Amino acid sequence: MTPDAGWFDAMPTQGPLVDTFGRVHSDLRLSVTDRCNLRCSYCMPEEGVRFRPRDEILSFEELTVVARVAKSLGVTSVRLTGGEPLVRKGIVDLLSQVAEIGFADLALTTNGTELGRLANGLAGAGLNRVNVSCDSLRPERFAQIRRRGELGVVLDAMDAAEGAGLRPVKVNVVLIAGLNDDEVLDFAAFSRATGRPVRFIEYMPLDADGLWRRELVVAGRDVLARISSRWPLEPVPAGADAAPAERYRFTDGHGEVGVVTSVTRPFCRTCNRLRITADGALRNCLFSDDEPSVRDVLRGGGSDEDVAVMLRRAVWGKRPGHGIDDPDFLRPRRSMSMIGG
Ligand code: SAM
Ligand code: SF4
């Protein structure tokens, strides 16, 4: 939905990136590629994926311009994502260019397949921490869900990342009813054994195959109930970072779990995120199809100031929520790997 005429009249031209609801945006998700070496069933189609031509993807220089301008507007944390960020050639160089800008927090979300090989280089280039996606601790099921890749490689990569100092390694688990929700306690035990925070993410209508249904969503509150009936949990006080996960630690001090309840208890009221797709579209919400192109502005000779105005407008145009429960909700045109999770 596009904001009405006059919406932008009161948009501030100075100060932090703020929207009309007072939400200050300090977190930037930079998608560095739409390509991926896996084909997770909740994200990409198994066959026939059409990637963007390379010349449509933002160059390292363009990505760093956006990151630099974002920093000047108060963005303090940046997460590189994709697609699979670690399949982008030269990712360590890109990372060091972004790190040089000087963000308080520089993180990356990965499927872990290339992380073992790259962990030391990434840490040396200035990466602070990683989230590694891993939806099953059973090799065959892992292969079924992700369609490619091996569980053992991903588990080894978590060790390598910790060895390189990329701590904490957080583990992202997308739960799908009837598929992997019988592993909730296994993942809780995994967190207790390794100390790695595990984040259970509710399945969102962002899969390329269009198979999402509400009945497939495993509510975060049910996940917490199941875990706490086995091992007592206590809430971890929310930090200043407005992280979407509701966090809980085990009362005996071993491990931490969290739930990302995007569907059953949306956290839109505290959302502080702005996204850039790999082809340079600004998205103020995962579920918004309004996509002004920073790439076109930059390639048309636009200045830093032009980019700054675009970022301000994107944030100012943000709606109060994603509206998954609204009767007129429409799935976004692009699926998760093309947006950047
Ligand atoms: N390829 C990397 C990875 O898998 O971690 C980074 C990109 S991926 C799009 C980012 C996150 O989005 C992953 O944790 C993934 O599990 C999650 N994700 C993808 N599709 C999703 C969906 N339909 N609902 C909820 N989370 C999803
Ligand atoms: Fe690739 Fe990540 Fe999507 Fe899986 S979730 S298909 S690893 S982008």
Side-chain angles (χ1 to χ4, degrees), residues 35-40 42-44 82-84 111 133 146 336-337:
R35 288 167 195 260
C36 186
N37 52 353
L38 303 187
R39 295 287 183 275
C40 304
Y42 51 73
C43 180
M44 287 179 92
E84 172 49 40
N111 63 33
S133 303
R146 312 213 91 184
M336 192 63 134
S337 68

Side-chain angles (χ1 to χ4, degrees), residues 26-28 67-68 70-72 74-79 95 97-108 126-130 166-168 240-241 272:
S26 56
D27 184 282
L28 178 67
R68 183 162 41 77
K71 172 151 194 249
S72 74
V75 165
T76 54
S77 64
V78 169
R79 177 174 293 273
L95 206 280
Q97 287 171 33
V98 175
E100 266 174 33
I101 297 169
F103 292 97
D105 184 32
L106 183 54
L108 179 140
L127 185 66
N128 299 132
R129 59 200 178 87
V130 282
L166 297 172
R167 292 165 182 266
D241 61 353
N272 67 345

